[in-house]
Amino acid sequence: MQAVSRRLGHQSLKPTSLKSVFPLYDQYNGAADQWRYASTLTNSRGVGNLVRKGTGGRSSVSGIVATVFGATGFLGRYLVQQLAKMGSQVLVPFRGSEDSPRHLKLMGDLGQIVPMKYNPRDENSVKAVMAKANVVINLIGRDYETRNYSFEEVHHGMAEQLAMIAKEHGGIMRFIQISCLGASPSSSSRMLRTKSAGEEAVLREIPEATIMKPAVMIGTEDRIMNRWAHFVKNYSFLPLMGDGSTKIQPVYVVDVAAAIIAALKDDGTSMGKTYELGGPEIFTVHELAELMFDTIREWPRYVKVPFPIAKAIAMPREVLLKKVPFPLPTPNIFNLDEINALTTDTVVSETALTFHDLGIVPHKLQGYPIEFLVSYRKGGPQFGSTISEKISPDSFP
């Protein structure tokens, strides 16, 4: 060092600070910090510019690292499966026991599905599970309240918190919020009103977010056909709210997961848009119940319950929910918010963006989507089946 100093004609080399060499260092450093925490969701290319390796299967690398909040729920397992199938890494936050996400780990290669325990009420915990992600998908939702979690906190507060953290993250390229068809500030259902408030909160923080509004989802673990069939097996009849004439547009859960994947794969055209995802057919509640009875091979028996009486039956749980020192049973058929939602038709509006705009043709319900109901046939899957429906050993590969 001294030889260098003599060569340069100096007595000694004194350490110099970056501030003395670069007078505008603080200004540049502040700008860098602002860039670091700025939202990158304004990138109109979406995730189309990510580096991909492989043929596109589960052993490939899609470039997507997705944090899927609510992945342990009904829709979550189908979405995680499709994400893993294309070679994405999926971070699965969970707040229950270690067994909650274990069924998801089998859907990808080793290290592809990463369960991460977190506390949704702890901001640092949420930031930790989102730190390595470039895609955030919020599936968090409940169709009934508990003593610990209200609709407002689950659907509005948590959605707003996730959007704020994703905005500050700086590396999130896509944010997808899952809401409900029929969500509106004027809905008679508190669940749907809070879902609408969650949509508004997300779009206020991240205008480039994509909103998906699926109708009632049908699938192996669904909360409508299974509940109906289970009730019928126990009591030999099904209560119909009102006269069963309310129109709904149920959708196959696999199609909803495919719609989310299609939005992720596009060139950014779905950013900032809202999609209403309904099935290809519109049913009345009575017609959907007829389809259920036909599948389980039971004689249809109904008891029509007027809406005022149905609400009166469901009201005690709502009144006592936070007044008693113990948890109350989970509502099944007589769920006050679902009863309120059934007072109005819930179908896709004519001007809405739908599956068609994502390049997806949704499945009709009759057939494979409701085949899981054969487990409720009292004589086994072949009970009451026609000749063309009987299972033949030759049909197996």
Side-chain angles (χ1 to χ4, degrees), residues 63 163 185 298 365 394:
E298 293 281 350
L365 290 191
D394 299 332

Side-chain angles (χ1 to χ4, degrees), residues 29 78 116 169 186 204 224 284 291:
N29 189 41
Y78 296 94
M116 303 180 71
H169 182 286
S186 60
R204 185 168 56 250
I224 178 168
T284 63
L291 182 61

Side-chain angles (χ1 to χ4, degrees), residues 236-259:
S236 300
F237 73 94
L238 179 67
L240 279 184
M241 306 306 163
D243 57 357
S245 62
T246 305
K247 294 180 180 179
I248 56 177
Q249 198 167 347
V251 61
Y252 187 32
V253 64
V254 175
D255 294 332
V256 178

Side-chain angles (χ1 to χ4, degrees), residues 146-148 317 319-329:
T146 64
R147 297 174 65 246
N148 297 324
R317 182 184 185 276
V319 173
L320 298 174
L321 182 62
K322 295 183 179 180
K323 294 183 179 181
V324 295
F326 52 84
L328 293 175

